[in-house]
Amino acid sequence: HVLLKMGKSLEWMLTLEPEDFQKHYVKPAYRWENMEQTGFTDSPDTDLVDEYPESPPWTTAKEPYAYSKLGKLLIRSQLDCTHPGLEKGRQTFDLKTRAVRNIRLDVGNYMQNTWAEVKTVMGKKFSFEAEYYDLIRSAFLKYIFQVRSGFMDGIFLAYHNTKSIFGFEYLPLEEMEQAIFSSKAMADLSYTVSTRLLELILNRVAGDFPGKTLELFVYADKGSSETIVLVNALDAGMDEGWVDQGAKSDPDDRYVRKRPVKKSLLSRLNALEGEEEAPSAAKLKEEGVGQIRCYDLEIEFFVNGKRTVGPRVITKWHKDPTVLYKLKERKLSVARQVMYLRELRTFA
């Protein structure tokens, strides 16, 4: 994914001295001193095109992490930056790069959208307001969980269009939690319940498939209490780890992620039709399919002893917020299990 690779490069650029970044991460042909000789054109010195930068000495250094224990879960969070002026105990923060909306929504054609920039403070398009609104909807929740897990203070964000950086912003944890949860009590409850449910799900599926490598999907539809958990348990030797699937496809299409259609994923899963005959063992092995099991996760939320349906803001005045859950197996034919797995892999 071009944005993942560029995000890592920009992190090095923002945290290293300019001379070190140029020396170790920029090809000689594209360094400032050499580009200046060619007038900063798109045609670098051809004698230097095939030369590569020196390998940095810090690539073998160990990355710093913060570790936290939640029940039986051990969570590791990578630490990017630190500042002594931050609150004691929270003097680290994460560094993020954020491409503009035009590029994020059409990554496969990012080169055609490098003209897009944040030009105004307010407005529906190409504004800080529009980017911030989209940031709340698409990224704040994962930022909050990352910052909380790493005992960090916040996120330092750099806005870019893959060609230039045109803005910076610091987002404290409290600002992000206020935008998503409206209260600290609700933020605390959401983090505690989410991590606890994750632990319970992992305990259940790990107990059902001892010693197996597990491919796990959890999906919930917006506005629905229905959540499915799909597990693909792989035998030894079946798991190849993370593979760049795009390396085997058309270079022009390798960064294009398939998007779900307007119909919800669960509706599509429930409506799937096809042959009920199980695929052959050879076909299953080719697709990396082991033993599949599907679960239904049901959750009920109680506040002050009363069941609550829909969004709810919890404050310190609400007493005894309680979450009840039930995880039960959904009986499916082998053919339908494979259909579910294929659909969820496409969605993910």
Side-chain angles (χ1 to χ4, degrees):
H1 197 297
V2 65
L3 294 185
L4 292 177
K5 294 178 180 178
M6 187 150 201
K8 191 64 179 177
S9 298
L10 290 177
E11 284 186 13
W12 286 121
M13 188 185 75
L14 293 170
T15 54
L16 292 173
E17 293 295 333
E19 297 77 13
D20 289 333
F21 178 75
Q22 288 280 314
K23 180 179 180 181
H24 298 293
Y25 290 97
V26 180
K27 281 187 173 184
Y30 294 92
R31 290 176 185 165
W32 291 327
E33 63 270 17
N34 296 323
M35 290 296 287
E36 188 176 14
Q37 296 176 8
T38 59
F40 293 95
T41 65
D42 292 331
S43 301
D45 188 339
T46 53
D47 294 333
L48 299 173
V49 154
D50 294 328
E51 292 188 23
Y52 284 82
E54 300 176 24
S55 179
W58 51 80
T59 52
T60 56
K62 293 183 178 180
E63 296 277 4
Y65 295 98
Y67 293 86
S68 57
K69 190 172 183 292
L70 296 167
K72 294 182 179 180
L73 295 179
L74 179 64
I75 299 178
R76 185 182 77 170
S77 299
Q78 184 175 340
L79 302 177
D80 287 344
C81 307
T82 183
H83 193 282
L86 296 175
E87 180 183 338
K88 190 174 181 180
R90 286 174 44 181
Q91 294 184 328
T92 57
F93 60 94
D94 200 56
L95 184 61
K96 300 285 188 185
T97 57
R98 179 80 170 176
V100 290
R101 179 182 175 85
N102 291 55
I103 289 177
R104 291 197 310 274
L105 298 185
D106 191 13
V107 179
N109 299 307
Y110 75 95
M111 289 295 292
Q112 283 73 49
N113 290 293
T114 54
W115 55 269
E117 293 186 7
V118 174
K119 298 178 180 179
T120 61
V121 175
M122 307 295 289
K124 292 184 177 180
K125 293 182 179 181
F126 309 116
S127 68
F128 171 77
E129 179 188 21
E131 289 294 333
Y132 189 81
Y133 176 69
D134 204 42
L135 190 68
I136 292 174
R137 296 168 64 242
S138 64
F140 267 19
L141 188 60
K142 61 183 179 182
Y143 286 179
I144 290 169
F145 274 63
Q146 182 179 356
V147 169
R148 274 179 166 262
S149 298
F151 306 102
M152 292 180 270
D153 183 81
I155 301 285
F156 184 85
L157 199 65
Y159 292 96
H160 70 92
N161 60 9
T162 72
K163 190 175 182 180
S164 61
I165 294 177
F166 41 79
F168 299 94
E169 181 180 18
Y170 187 74
L171 299 165
L173 175 62
E174 292 76 13
E175 179 180 336
M176 294 188 288
E177 289 184 336
Q178 181 64 31
I180 295 293
F181 299 111
S182 299
S183 73
K184 188 178 186 307
M186 188 66 189
D188 292 341
L189 179 65
S190 297
Y191 183 77
T192 301
V193 169
S194 298
T195 53
R196 179 60 177 153
L197 281 174
L198 176 61
E199 180 191 359
L200 292 169
I201 291 171
L202 293 178
N203 282 340
R204 170 67 183 275
V205 299
D208 288 348
F209 300 101
K212 300 275 189 176
T213 296
L214 303 179
E215 183 181 14
L216 181 71
F217 298 90
V218 180
Y219 182 84
D221 260 343
K222 181 180 179 182
S224 170
S225 60
E226 185 180 9
T227 302
I228 64 171
V229 178
L230 189 75
V231 181
N232 179 28
L234 304 174
D235 293 323
M238 288 184 67
D239 179 31
E240 298 179 358
W242 291 101
V243 178
D244 182 5
Q245 298 293 341
K248 304 175 183 178
S249 61
D250 187 330
D252 294 331
D253 297 330
R254 63 181 300 180
Y255 299 118
V256 180
R257 170 178 286 185
K258 295 181 180 179
R259 294 284 178 179
V261 294
K262 291 183 179 179
K263 196 174 182 181
S264 74
L265 178 63
L266 287 179
S267 298
R268 282 158 47 214
L269 286 175
N270 292 330
L272 280 175
E273 295 181 1
E275 58 185 52
E276 291 301 323
E277 186 177 341
S280 67
K283 181 65 175 176
L284 292 177
K285 185 175 182 180
E286 180 184 342
E287 292 189 35
V289 177
Q291 185 180 352
I292 303 175
R293 189 169 296 177
C294 188
Y295 305 83
D296 285 314
L297 176 64
E298 298 177 5
I299 299 173
E300 290 187 338
F301 188 29
F302 293 81
V303 180
N304 296 340
K306 296 182 179 180
R307 184 171 180 267
T308 300
V309 179
R312 182 68 182 264
V313 176
I314 301 299
T315 67
K316 63 181 179 180
W317 307 112
H318 292 92
K319 296 181 179 179
D320 302 322
T322 304
V323 177
L324 301 181
Y325 83 98
K326 182 189 294 183
L327 187 65
K328 59 182 181 180
E329 185 177 348
R330 177 186 289 198
K331 298 297 183 181
L332 297 172
S333 67
V334 174
R336 190 159 287 264
Q337 288 176 353
V338 175
M339 290 180 190
Y340 271 44
L341 180 62
R342 290 170 179 164
E343 196 76 5
L344 284 165
R345 279 176 171 173
T346 300
F347 180 81

